Structure formats: C-alpha cells, structure tokens
Amino acid sequence: MALAEVFEAFAGPDAPVEFTAYDGSRAGTAGSPVKITVRSPVAVAYLAQAPGELGLARAYVAGHLDVEGDMYEALVRLTKVQSTSPGMAEKLRLLQALGGPKLLIHRMPPPPQEVRQHRRWLAGRMHSKGRDAKVISHHYDVSNRFYEWVLGPSMAYTCACYPREDATLEEAQANKHDLVARKLGLTDGQRLLDVGCGWGGMVMHAAREYGVKALGVTLSAQQAAWAQAAIEREGLSRLAEVRHLDYRDVPETGFDAVSSIGLTEHIGKANLPSYFSFLFGKLKVGGRLLNHCITRPDNTEPAIRKGGFINRYVFPDGELEGPGYLISLMHDTGFEVRHEENLREHYAKTLAAWCANLDARWEDAVQEVGQGTARVWRLYMAGSRLGFDRNQVELHQVLCVRLAADGTSGMPLRPDWELPQVLAG
C-alpha cells in the first residue's frame, strides 16, 4: 500500500497540505505552502510505535520527516484536517499493509534529544535541588549564541507584554520588565530579588531604570555567566548581581520586592506551598511579589504529561497549575492578592516573534546546536504559539503583598502602573 493512501485514511483526501513520501506516492493539496515529506521507513516505524504527537515529533526531530513552509501554519492546517477516523479493523489493516507486527516489535530508539526517565542523569527525586539543576541545564544551557539569535537583544525568554499591536519584540520585552517594576512599586534605593532570573533582563532593568539594588539567581551556569558579563558591560555592577544559585539557597532577606518571571512552572505542585512560603519570608512587611507564569486554563487536566513532547524534549519535570489554585496557595501562605491578569495573547505574539527569529537564522542555528535540537525548538515554539492562541495554556501575572500586622498593605487605592515609563527605542 502506498503511504499516500495511509495519509488519506487519517487526514482525508482533501487535506490542506501537500504530502509526499519516499515510495513516490503523493496526497493532499498540490502546491500548498505547507509540504510534509516522509523520507524513510524509520518515520513510519516511529509513527506506528508512538501514534500521534510523540511519534510525529520523533520522526521530525530525527530528520526522517520534513515540514517545509511555516511550522505554525503547518500545525494549524493539520489540526483543521477532517479525519475520517478509521476504526480499529481499518487501522490494523493499514498496519499490516505497512509491514505488520515487525513495525512494533523492533523498537526504534528515540532521537538523542529526548529525555527519558531512566537515564542516569535524570535520576533522583523530582524537584530535588540536584535534579532541578540538571533539568534546567538541559533546557537553558544549550548555547547563549543560539538564544541570542532566537530571543533577540533583550535575551528575555518569557512572555513579553505588547503595548500596541505593531510593537516590536524589543519594545514588548522592555514594556514587560517595566510593567513588573511598576506593579512592584520599585523606587530608588530599594532591594529586589529576582528568582529564576534568566539572562538578567529584569535585574538590569530595575537597576538601570529605577536605581534598585537587584539580585538575580538562576540554576543555569551559562545564563549566570552571560548576565554577569552584561551587567559589567552596562556599568551596573554597583547595583545588579546575578548568581548561579538555587533560589532556595539565597541567604539574604528583607527585600522590598520579589519577582518570579517564568520559574513557577519548574517548581512542582507538591513544592508550591513551600515555594510561596519561602518568597513570603524573603520580603519585608509591605513588600510585594509579582508572580508571572504559564498556567493551565483549569484544574481538570493533569499538571504534567510525562509521555508528552514538552516533557520529553523541552521542559522535563515542568508542571502547570490553574491560576485559581496558585492564587489560593498565595493566600494560604499569608499573601494578599491585589491584582491578576492574563497575558495569553501576548505570549502567542512573543512566540511568533521567536519563531521568525529562528527561521531567519536557521542555518546558523543548525550549525550551532545541531539539526535535532534546532528542530525541537522549531516544533516546540510553533506548537506553544498554537496552544496560547487556542487557550490550551495561559500566562498569568499575579501581584500580591505581605501585609503589616494591622492589615496595612501600602498599596494605592487604584492600580497606578498602567502608563509605561520605559520602552525600548
């Protein structure tokens, strides 16, 4: 049986993509801006052994399946396909036509970019300090040069906040950092702790624009080295510092503000109470916490899909909770929540910009990190953009305060952070 017939059995005869295979068969819409090519029987084996998202990802990352055209558009078109939903008998017939049980018996090893739980380096208790350090290194210690190409000059690997539809990525990232600073009420001479600080963007913004003494911590050695060098280049060493350190090992206390931008996703549901309690303890009375993180739209889905593409290839051990659950924990810890907003559409725009950056430097990226890793990023960022577009994931900022014993908050009667002060030129 020709592979095109199998494709049509699942995708229908009028799929809005062009399909070609190594056996010479074709299907779908000729001339479509999106073209899918099955290059070898290995791709078929991957798809048979792990039907759905994971098998497709393995075949693509390993280079046995190609996607030409815009990856986001490819995913949009494939999710719109009106599948004929073949029954079990038809599926078995198709499997037999493609080679039968041998496709399932001779297991294909996953691409080396896939993280498997039995690998020795990922051993240990989930979210222990040692395992967290290895997980963070897996994702963030890829290549600072690669991240510079994808993220742009801001080196901000978190959701931007677009002040207007036509704002550039750099303007949106500067606006995000400034929005966080304004929500935290930062003023000259205050102290800020930024946990999971990445390449130090928030730390440097707070020091440069607000005169704040800012400390950032990250589990990524490459991030810390890059950030410290950037701090020195900008002449901010008197105010700004980034340490290669687990946030749980920060010895200082009495901060005026704490920002957590993109760390909560790595904490783990079981550790969230102690996480918020730790941050609460780092603040002085009247101090504010701004928690910015990816969330699930509800609490009905599992926090982690251990067999999914994201957990196996991108964020091992990452866990997402619903915003209501997080807010409840903050209150239980002692915080008073004062403001919350969903920046879901902003993350879709941010990812679109990152995808465009990667496409523009594709050959350089492949040379820098290898084809497999570059493909992981192309697929993951386009898929994440689609997820934010369709409200499968969200991005919430929650602002809370450590009250005085008499209930005094020190907060303004109405939010006073809406007008931006600093934007990239």
Side-chain angles (χ1 to χ4, degrees), residues 178-186 288 290 339-341 397-399 411 417-418:
D178 205 59
L179 177 63
V180 172
R182 299 193 309 271
K183 285 182 174 180
L184 290 173
L186 296 183
R288 303 180 193 179
L290 190 285
H339 187 267
E340 183 279 334
E341 64 176 314
Q397 279 194 356
V398 180
L399 175 66
M411 298 290 297
W417 50 76
E418 290 304 324

Side-chain angles (χ1 to χ4, degrees), residues 298-361:
D298 54 50
N299 294 305
T300 62
E301 297 294 321
I304 182 173
R305 296 185 182 278
K306 293 186 177 181
F309 170 72
I310 292 292
N311 187 63
R312 287 176 179 257
Y313 283 88
V314 185
F315 293 111
D317 295 349
E319 297 185 48
L320 302 181
E321 304 301 332
Y325 181 79
L326 296 174
I327 288 173
S328 292
L329 285 179
M330 291 176 189
H331 275 287
D332 292 345
T333 300
F335 284 111
E336 181 183 51
V337 171
R338 303 292 305 214
H339 187 267
E340 183 279 334
E341 64 176 314
N342 184 0
L343 300 179
R344 175 172 66 85
E345 292 88 352
H346 293 260
Y347 217 155
K349 286 178 67 67
T350 304
L351 284 155
W354 291 344
C355 288
N357 286 346
L358 178 58
D359 286 346
R361 300 298 296 267

Side-chain angles (χ1 to χ4, degrees), residues 70-363:
D70 182 77
M71 178 61 80
Y72 172 78
E73 181 63 24
L75 296 178
V76 169
R77 287 173 180 246
L78 287 173
T79 56
K80 288 181 178 178
V81 164
Q82 296 298 312
S83 174
T84 56
S85 300
M88 182 57 66
E90 176 65 5
K91 289 179 181 178
L92 290 174
R93 186 185 73 82
L94 294 173
L95 177 65
Q96 187 64 38
L98 290 172
K102 67 180 181 181
L103 278 176
L104 305 178
I105 294 173
H106 302 291
R107 305 296 295 180
M108 293 298 304
Q113 290 76 20
E114 183 171 319
V115 174
R116 285 163 286 167
Q117 295 297 316
H118 66 269
R119 282 189 176 179
R120 183 177 300 175
W121 73 266
L122 197 58
R125 181 173 53 85
M126 277 184 64
H127 303 297
S128 63
K129 290 181 180 180
R131 178 157 166 164
D132 276 354
K134 292 172 183 176
V135 164
I136 293 300
S137 179
H138 166 79
H139 187 72
Y140 294 98
D141 290 342
V142 175
S143 159
N144 282 335
R145 181 179 297 174
F146 174 79
Y147 275 107
E148 288 172 359
W149 292 333
V150 173
L151 305 181
S154 71
M155 286 296 277
Y157 184 36
T158 48
C159 174
C161 182
Y162 283 76
R164 59 184 190 278
E165 281 291 339
D166 63 347
T168 67
L169 175 63
E170 288 309 302
E171 288 174 327
Q173 290 293 12
N175 184 50
K176 183 267 301 294
H177 287 142
D178 205 59
L179 177 63
V180 172
R182 299 193 309 271
K183 285 182 174 180
L184 290 173
L186 296 183
T187 58
D188 189 16
Q190 288 188 332
R191 296 170 62 228
L192 167 71
L193 172 63
D194 186 35
V195 292
C197 69
W199 287 269
M202 183 65 214
V203 168
M204 288 186 280
H205 186 92
R208 182 180 58 247
E209 307 297 343
Y210 289 85
V212 168
K213 188 172 179 59
L215 169 63
V217 294
T218 173
L219 277 175
S220 166
Q222 288 190 26
Q223 284 183 337
W226 191 98
Q228 273 302 117
I231 287 169
E232 292 172 12
R233 284 196 307 271
E234 291 202 25
L236 296 172
S237 298
R238 183 178 63 85
L239 291 174
E241 178 188 1
V242 169
R243 299 177 193 166
H244 178 213
L245 186 71
D246 191 297
Y247 80 93
R248 290 165 284 195
D249 294 327
V250 174
E252 294 92 339
T253 190
F255 290 93
D256 297 282
V258 172
S259 52
S260 176
I261 307 174
L263 176 62
T264 312
E265 301 91 329
H266 299 286
I267 298 300
K269 184 174 184 177
N271 295 328
L272 285 172
S274 61
Y275 164 71
F276 287 121
S277 179
F278 179 87
L279 299 183
F280 183 87
K282 290 298 174 183
L283 285 166
K284 63 173 57 173
V285 171
R288 303 180 193 179
L289 165 69
L290 190 285
N291 198 79
H292 167 122
C293 73
I294 302 170
T295 68
R296 294 183 287 127
D298 54 50
N299 294 305
T300 62
E301 297 294 321
I304 182 173
R305 296 185 182 278
K306 293 186 177 181
F309 170 72
I310 292 292
N311 187 63
R312 287 176 179 257
Y313 283 88
V314 185
F315 293 111
D317 295 349
E319 297 185 48
L320 302 181
E321 304 301 332
Y325 181 79
L326 296 174
I327 288 173
S328 292
L329 285 179
M330 291 176 189
H331 275 287
D332 292 345
T333 300
F335 284 111
E336 181 183 51
V337 171
R338 303 292 305 214
H339 187 267
E340 183 279 334
E341 64 176 314
N342 184 0
L343 300 179
R344 175 172 66 85
E345 292 88 352
H346 293 260
Y347 217 155
K349 286 178 67 67
T350 304
L351 284 155
W354 291 344
C355 288
N357 286 346
L358 178 58
D359 286 346
R361 300 298 296 267
W362 180 254
E363 296 302 326

Side-chain angles (χ1 to χ4, degrees), residues 7 14-19 27-30 32 34-36 74 77-78 81:
F7 177 80
D14 300 315
V17 300
E18 183 175 354
F19 176 89
T29 304
S32 169
V34 174
K35 182 178 180 180
I36 297 173
R77 287 173 180 246
L78 287 173
V81 164

